[in-house]
Amino acid sequence: MSKQYKTVSLSDEQRIALEALCRRRKVDALVWKRARAFLLLDAGEDAGTVCRILDIGPTVLTEWRFAFAGAGLSFFGLKDYSQRQGHLSVVQEQAVRAHFTAQPARNADEVCAYVLAECDQNYSTSGAAKLMRRLGFAYKKPQLLPAQADEAKQAAFIAKYEALMNGLAADEMVVFSDAVHPEHQSRPAHGWFPKGQKTALKATSGRKRLNIQGALDLETFQFTFVEGEKINAQTTRQMLEKLERNNQTKTAIHVFVDNARYHHAKILQPWLDSPERRVKLHFLPAYAPHLNPIERLWGVMHKWVTHNRHYATFNQFTEAIFDFFRKTLPEKWPEFRDTVTDNFRVISLKEYKVI
């Protein structure tokens, strides 16, 4: 193949149009292959490499080059991108993408308003959603991250935890502890329902809640918990005492907890410092709930028990919560293992675009 066919230089408008074509969910395979060939050539790939990647012959690629030179974007079934009713030009789409990259849209209505004001084009809500997807956006929630998490402390904790686990004796165990306060409230959640059917969930009028302090062993999914009118140093001691009673053969019980005030309570220290004590507290870094796997268990509990569920009485609600911990968790814990894990990582705000 002669050198004149080894590379292609696309204009910005052509490049954007072909990239958009390749992102379409439904596109003819031959059209997609043609578009990808010219994008690869434009990126500096030589003709031989392009032919191998796309499994086409050099003669075919030469014919495509001549056709594109004469027909432009219409070679791919695309009309020119000059502004027309109901559509945006390539330049306008670039402006829309830049604007909403810098200032994320909360909904499609904001996109409609911007396009009308800046481009003098009327888009429906569904049309605006399609436009945003075509421009490389996705409708999703931002991840909520702790604003003050210290990366160095997270890394130090993970290293210390791994060292503990690697040196753990057979007669030692590790648990993660935390408190949860499920409210007697109906919790609507997404689900699959018959199209066209109005679906509702009965609301509850009370504000009662349970106060549960628990500890989870990730090896066996043994869950130890106590309930109280409120969570404090007393319930903490009760839960730790229960851990010791339920694990008589263990010489050491390592309990990972957060920095709640009741974990540091002075009235708890004499008991913890007692020579016969087998529990040992380890504290998580501040503002790092992602390093406590039991937090994920609370999420599983809510999905299993409270999402799209109505309990007419607080007693029914209480029974359902306790039934999850006493029956469902030990019976179905293999289903939960991939969610409730100690696969820890350092969370850094540098990895995200913070809005």
Side-chain angles (χ1 to χ4, degrees):
M1 185 178 293
S2 60
K3 291 184 179 179
Q4 62 177 323
Y5 299 124
K6 287 189 176 181
T7 60
V8 165
S9 294
L10 299 174
S11 68
D12 289 343
E13 183 174 334
Q14 290 171 334
R15 188 178 304 109
I16 291 169
L18 294 184
E19 287 175 347
L21 187 151
C22 288
R23 287 196 299 268
R24 289 182 185 174
R25 293 183 179 180
K26 295 182 180 180
V27 62
D28 182 81
L30 179 58
V31 172
W32 182 92
K33 189 174 285 190
R34 287 174 176 174
R36 183 53 62 191
F38 283 91
L39 288 171
L40 288 170
L41 290 171
D42 179 62
E45 298 290 349
D46 63 73
T49 300
V50 173
C51 289
R52 286 194 300 274
I53 292 173
L54 299 177
D55 193 24
I56 58 176
T59 303
V60 173
L61 188 58
T62 301
E63 292 174 352
W64 289 358
R65 279 293 311 272
F66 279 117
F68 176 65
L73 292 177
S74 62
F75 173 61
F76 306 93
L78 297 172
K79 298 178 181 179
D80 65 61
Y81 269 61
S82 58
Q83 184 173 348
R84 54 197 184 276
Q85 184 61 34
H87 296 79
L88 301 181
S89 69
V90 170
V91 173
Q92 288 173 322
E93 287 192 350
Q94 286 179 307
V96 171
R97 181 189 289 112
H99 175 78
F100 288 117
T101 297
Q103 303 175 43
R106 290 170 294 182
N107 51 55
D109 290 338
E110 290 188 1
V111 178
C112 293
Y114 175 83
V115 171
L116 179 60
E118 299 296 326
C119 307
D120 195 27
Q121 293 288 339
N122 282 300
Y123 269 72
S124 65
T125 301
S126 61
K130 291 178 181 177
L131 170 66
M132 294 298 281
R133 284 193 290 269
R134 188 169 70 253
L135 296 180
F137 293 87
Y139 190 70
K140 60 184 180 181
K141 272 186 183 179
Q143 185 173 343
L144 190 63
L145 298 179
Q148 303 178 52
D150 188 300
E151 294 178 36
K153 291 181 179 178
Q154 292 178 61
F157 170 83
I158 293 172
K160 180 180 177 182
Y161 172 75
E162 290 177 348
L164 172 65
M165 296 302 294
N166 289 333
L168 198 68
D171 59 355
E172 294 182 303
M173 66 183 292
V174 171
V175 299
F176 288 86
S177 179
D178 189 32
V180 66
H181 312 275
E183 290 187 348
H184 180 211
Q185 291 288 325
S186 300
R187 289 182 170 226
H190 287 88
W192 291 101
F193 304 102
K195 190 175 181 179
Q197 171 187 291
K198 291 184 177 181
T199 305
L201 180 66
K202 289 183 178 179
T204 53
S205 58
R207 288 292 185 270
K208 290 184 178 180
R209 71 177 189 178
L210 292 169
N211 296 292
I212 297 171
Q213 191 163 8
L216 179 68
D217 181 346
L218 294 181
E219 291 296 318
T220 64
F221 265 61
Q222 171 190 320
F223 183 69
T224 305
F225 72 96
V226 296
E227 186 211 353
E229 291 187 7
K230 59 182 179 179
I231 302 301
N232 52 27
Q234 182 179 356
T235 56
T236 300
R237 175 170 171 172
Q238 290 172 352
M239 191 269 296
L240 296 175
E241 287 175 336
K242 193 172 183 179
L243 268 174
E244 289 192 339
R245 288 197 306 272
N246 292 350
N247 299 280
Q248 297 285 346
T249 62
K250 301 298 181 181
T251 60
I253 303 172
H254 301 276
V255 185
F256 286 85
V257 296
D258 61 22
N259 287 276
R261 291 179 63 184
Y262 46 78
H263 289 144
H264 294 279
K266 292 182 179 179
I267 61 173
L268 191 60
Q269 292 309 309
W271 183 83
L272 287 170
D273 294 338
S274 175
E276 69 270 17
R277 203 77 297 121
R278 290 181 292 127
V279 296
K280 175 177 174 57
L281 297 190
H282 301 264
F283 291 94
L284 297 165
Y287 308 107
H290 61 287
L291 297 178
N292 194 346
I294 202 171
E295 294 277 4
R296 301 167 199 169
L297 177 63
W298 304 150
V300 172
M301 178 269 293
H302 278 299
K303 289 180 181 179
W304 195 272
V305 181
T306 68
H307 287 185
N308 289 341
R309 298 286 189 275
H310 170 74
Y311 301 97
T313 67
F314 183 66
N315 286 340
Q316 291 174 347
F317 173 75
T318 299
E319 183 179 352
I321 295 290
F322 288 161
D323 187 67
F324 172 82
F325 290 129
R326 290 169 177 159
K327 297 180 181 179
T328 304
L329 185 60
E331 289 175 0
K332 298 185 178 292
W333 67 268
E335 298 180 23
F336 307 144
R337 293 193 76 165
D338 290 340
T339 302
V340 185
T341 73
D342 57 357
N343 184 21
F344 298 142
R345 67 185 182 92
V346 174
I347 286 184
S348 170
L349 293 177
K350 300 173 185 175
E351 300 174 5
Y352 298 83
K353 176 178 173 57
V354 181
I355 59 176

